[in-house]
Structures are given as structure tokens and as C-alpha cells.
Amino acid sequence: MTLVSSPTSKLDANLAVALDALLTEQSVTRAAERLHTSPAAMSRTLARLRRVLQDPLLVRAGQAMVPTPRAVELRDEAAAVVRGLEALLTPSGGIDPAVLRRTFTVQTSDLVGAALAPGVLDLARRHAPGVALRVLAEEWEAGPAVREGRIDLEVGAIDHVDPETRVEELVTLRMAAGVRAGHPLTEGTLTPARLAAAEHVAVSRRGRFTGPLDTALAELGLGRRVGVALPGHLAAMALAAAGDVVCLVPTALPGEPPSPLGDAARALGLRLLDIPLPLPPLTIGMAWHPRHTTDGAHQWLRGAVRRVLRPARRD
């Protein structure tokens, strides 16, 4: 499939960029804002694209505009063309962090954000004082947010992989049972039966009460009682610190340096107990759009995240 409708049709680079903006935003006004031009100029460009491609591309449906089937077919190809232009015309090379002025937007969980923000801000104060960090809560769909440029970086357990998304694994952790000091499970040997008999708090953005621990217990004919499901780890840890409930806490693998993701649990005084069951490991990574790969400022951000979340590389 090509972006031109006949061998004699010609589509210049500016039209390709405009086509990508129009098909992404599905709005003349928003596409104009994205390309820093006027709605009138963007309307003229849309008219030109319609003539070149011999298709309406966007048609009105009530108060919105919707793409035609042809536009839907062209959307990914248009985006790929623009990415190629960006890669071609973006010079490689570093950037001086001392003169960097940038606000980065990172989407992550509350626990990862609590570990990440202090470390990145410390590095920024010392090396890149013009950098600010905006941390957003996890959304249902992180892929579009990365692709559309609404976030610079997603950090966490990356459970989506769009074809163009770049993903880098940072650290692999295991889950431990977090309980307050003096909890009955801190006395004696922790067995699967004792763990199942305790009251638990689950962490799920979707309000789920079950997870890998329940699967492992079920294989032994055991089940646990979850009294509450909370959307974030920090709230679950606070609940465990205040009463006799068990929460799951990501912690370093045996023999590895302590993970900063355990800092909140340690600050709350939680005891971390080894779970006597084979649970799948938790891999924390970061995902970004390839248009940022060679950007010097974004390279600084990714380097800062690595230094914070890979304990061996922390300052």
C-alpha cells in the first residue's frame, strides 16, 4: 500500500506530516495546534490531501470527524513515514544536562513513582537543574499514550507491546509477604497453609481479588481470604503496617542489592517474609516511542531511570 493514488501523484514531506497529524487527531483544529499552524491552513491542506488521495479521509459525524476506511488503512503507514523523516532529520549526539530545560512526563504505579521520583530529582538537582518530572498514574491503555506523545516514558511491568514501542528491561524482582512487626506470621516457619490462613489485601487497578499467589495456593488445595482490594501498593502497605493483614511487596532477588521499590515498606517498618511458593518474577522495564530514541534529552531521562531502578548503578 502506498500513500499516493497513482504514479503521477506526488506527496511532499509536509503533506505526509499533515496527513499523520490529521489521522491521529481526527480534528482539523487539533492537527493545526499540533503542527503550530492555523485551522484555515490545515483545512486547505486537508482539501489538498483529499484531491491527491481521491478520498474524503475525514468526514463529519455529529460534532466529531471520523476517518474513512481508506484513512484507517493509511494511518499506520503515514505514522511510519513521519517516524522515518524524524529519524532522518534528527542529528545524533549528546546534550549538556546543565543547560537542559525540559519537563518529562512519566506514567507508572504509585510504588514505582515513589521510588523513582526522589532518585531522578536528586540526579536532576546535581546534573540537570532545569529538568522537572511529572508522574501520572497508570491508565488503562499505556500504548496509545506513548504513541501519541502524551507521556515520555512508561515505567513498570510492561504488559503491552505495540509493534513500534521500544522496551528495555531494568530489573527483575520477586514478591515477598509484607507484615507489621509482631504479626503472628513473623513467629515460626512460614508455611503455605499459614500464609493462606492469614487475612490479605490485594493490589489491583481493576479491583481484582485474585492473582498469581492464589494460583500457587490452589495447586496445593489452599485458598486465601482477601478482605480488601486496593488500587495501589502504598495504600496496601499502609494497611498492613496498621493491622494484621498481609500485602505483597516487590523485593530484590536473593544475592542482589536492595531494590528502591522496597524503600516504602522499610519506611513503614514492614517485615518482608519469603513466600514458600513458586511465584512468577516481576520484571520492571521502561517503554518509549522510537521517535525519542536518539533525542539527547530523552536519553538523559532514560539514563536517570536506569541509575535509580538498577541498584548496582545508583549513586
Side-chain angles (χ1 to χ4, degrees):
M1 184 185 299
T2 63
L3 291 177
V4 295
S5 56
S6 73
T8 59
S9 299
K10 292 185 179 180
L11 188 62
D12 64 30
N14 289 332
L15 277 183
V17 173
L19 178 62
D20 177 51
L22 285 163
L23 297 187
T24 299
E25 301 294 342
Q26 295 183 28
S27 164
V28 170
T29 300
R30 291 197 299 271
E33 292 174 349
R34 176 171 172 170
L35 298 184
H36 307 290
T37 189
S38 68
M42 186 56 66
S43 292
R44 291 192 295 271
T45 301
L46 175 58
R48 184 181 173 193
L49 283 164
R50 285 168 169 166
R51 291 194 301 271
V52 170
L53 296 172
Q54 300 178 16
D55 188 89
L57 298 176
L58 296 173
V59 296
R60 189 159 296 282
Q63 298 299 313
M65 298 190 78
V66 297
T68 65
R70 172 67 167 157
V72 172
E73 292 176 354
L74 291 174
R75 185 159 47 201
D76 289 343
E77 187 178 356
V81 168
V82 173
R83 289 197 302 271
L85 289 171
E86 290 174 341
L88 177 66
L89 299 176
T90 300
S92 60
I95 189 171
D96 183 0
V99 300
L100 179 60
R101 298 292 181 270
R102 185 88 165 257
T103 297
F104 293 110
T105 300
V106 176
Q107 178 172 290
T108 190
S109 69
D110 62 342
L111 183 61
V112 176
L116 191 61
V120 171
L121 288 181
D122 177 62
L123 289 171
R125 290 189 194 100
R126 290 187 284 131
H127 305 296
V131 164
L133 186 67
R134 178 188 296 112
V135 179
L136 301 182
E138 292 175 300
E139 296 181 350
W140 293 111
E141 294 292 340
V146 171
R147 184 171 59 251
E148 296 165 11
R150 289 185 280 121
I151 61 175
D152 294 295
L153 201 64
E154 180 193 3
V155 182
I158 310 298
D159 55 5
H160 69 90
V161 181
D162 291 335
E164 73 272 21
T165 301
R166 302 290 177 86
V167 178
E168 178 182 334
E169 294 184 358
L170 297 170
V171 63
T172 298
L173 306 169
R174 63 189 174 98
M175 302 306 291
V179 296
R180 68 170 181 85
H183 188 287
L185 290 184
T186 62
E187 301 294 333
T189 302
L190 179 60
T191 64
R194 291 186 68 204
L195 181 62
E199 183 177 2
H200 292 251
V201 53
V203 176
S204 170
R205 290 181 292 130
R206 297 171 175 83
R208 294 173 179 167
F209 279 73
T210 59
L213 178 56
D214 300 278
T215 302
L217 288 170
E219 292 180 356
L220 300 177
L222 300 171
R224 61 173 180 158
R225 186 170 73 86
V226 178
V228 60
L230 295 174
H233 279 90
L234 294 181
M237 291 179 187
L239 185 63
D244 285 343
V245 296
V246 180
C247 69
L248 295 182
V249 179
T251 190
L253 295 172
E256 294 294 326
S259 167
L261 269 67
D263 289 350
R266 289 186 284 270
L268 288 168
L270 292 180
R271 294 277 304 277
L272 301 185
L273 309 177
D274 290 336
I275 296 176
L277 292 164
L279 297 183
L282 172 67
T283 298
I284 301 296
M286 57 181 171
W288 69 92
H289 195 273
R291 65 176 172 268
H292 296 308
T293 297
T294 58
D295 175 57
H298 202 275
Q299 289 175 341
W300 182 91
L301 172 65
R302 300 197 304 271
V305 171
R306 288 188 199 99
R307 294 175 69 179
V308 172
L309 295 185
R310 286 178 177 166
R313 300 189 181 187
R314 297 179 74 186
D315 282 358

